Amino acid sequence: MRAALLNVFKPVASAWLLFLIAMSVFSILNIDFTITDVIYRFQGNAWAWKDTLITQDVLHTGGKWLSLAMGLVTLLLLILSTVVTRLKAYRTPLLYLFSATLLSTLLVATIKHLVNMECPWDLVRYGGERDFIGLLNTRPSSMPASACFPAGHASAGYTWIALYFFFAAIRPHWRWAGLSLGLGLGLTFGITQQFRGAHFLSHDLWTVMICWTVSFVLSRFLFHPSVH
């Protein structure tokens, strides 16, 4: 049991160590602000794309409904796998996929409500009314709560990184297509939110890391080691 746990947590710990170092470099070099400055100036020093049909209705609202529909289809197939003979072989992979996507989404949402950070559109630098308070800085008690970290909408896409492990278990040659779908959805939703002024790039990177961690850890517990 101890060896099995080490096989799970050693790669996760290594990945998080490298990630935290990268995020430190991000902070030191002000990469978030450099990128967001460019996006903001590109829109004429305003968030001109904040409420457009494409960004707000199609990619933001529509994206959430798409991810929800994918989750409901997964749940339906999982339920059917308990009674339909042809689907019984997929029960564990479907349980994994549903659990990984649900837990990733819930974890990101929970952190958003526990950690107070402003969206770019809230900041004085980008036409808002608040000062920037870093993740590790002390937040003044007079400052109202804000739930902009990590990137919630991007998690609706990045949670489907779990498709890599799902397909690795049932159709190994499809695993990269599954990963591409998850990353593609996450990038689309994440970049949309950055152009709306809702998130910095680092917010998306934290979401990717959280979703990958959940998917990887669950896959180690539910699948044969050959899947990895």
Side-chain angles (χ1 to χ4, degrees), residues 88-202:
K88 287 184 178 180
Y90 302 106
R91 187 182 305 168
T92 297
L94 287 167
L95 174 63
Y96 161 79
L97 184 60
F98 180 73
S99 300
T101 53
L102 179 63
L103 288 175
S104 294
T105 303
L106 290 177
L107 184 55
V108 170
T110 299
I111 296 173
K112 278 176 66 72
H113 287 89
L114 292 177
V115 179
N116 282 305
M117 284 194 75
E118 274 63 44
C119 305
W121 62 39
D122 293 323
L123 303 178
V124 173
R125 181 169 182 153
Y126 303 115
E129 299 179 348
R130 302 186 192 179
D131 295 322
F132 175 75
I133 306 295
L135 181 60
L136 300 179
N137 297 131
T138 301
R139 187 180 182 87
S141 57
S142 59
M143 238 177 140
S146 184
C148 289
F149 173 89
H153 186 50
S155 72
Y158 287 127
T159 188
W160 295 99
I161 288 173
L163 285 169
Y164 172 86
F165 299 103
F166 172 76
F167 283 125
I170 64 170
R171 296 287 190 278
H173 55 288
W174 289 2
R175 67 190 188 280
W176 295 111
L179 179 62
S180 297
L181 178 59
L183 290 175
L185 287 173
L187 281 169
T188 300
F189 298 160
I191 291 173
T192 295
Q193 290 297 82
Q194 289 176 49
F195 272 84
R196 294 182 68 235
H199 291 293
F200 289 109
L201 174 59
S202 66

Side-chain angles (χ1 to χ4, degrees), residues 32-42 45 125-126:
D32 271 340
F33 285 110
T34 300
I35 293 173
T36 305
D37 284 350
V38 172
I39 294 173
Y40 189 64
R41 285 197 301 268
F42 180 74
N45 291 321
R125 181 169 182 153
Y126 303 115

Side-chain angles (χ1 to χ4, degrees), residues 8-18:
V8 173
F9 292 112
K10 280 178 65 176
V12 171
S14 298
W16 271 96
L17 177 60
L18 292 173

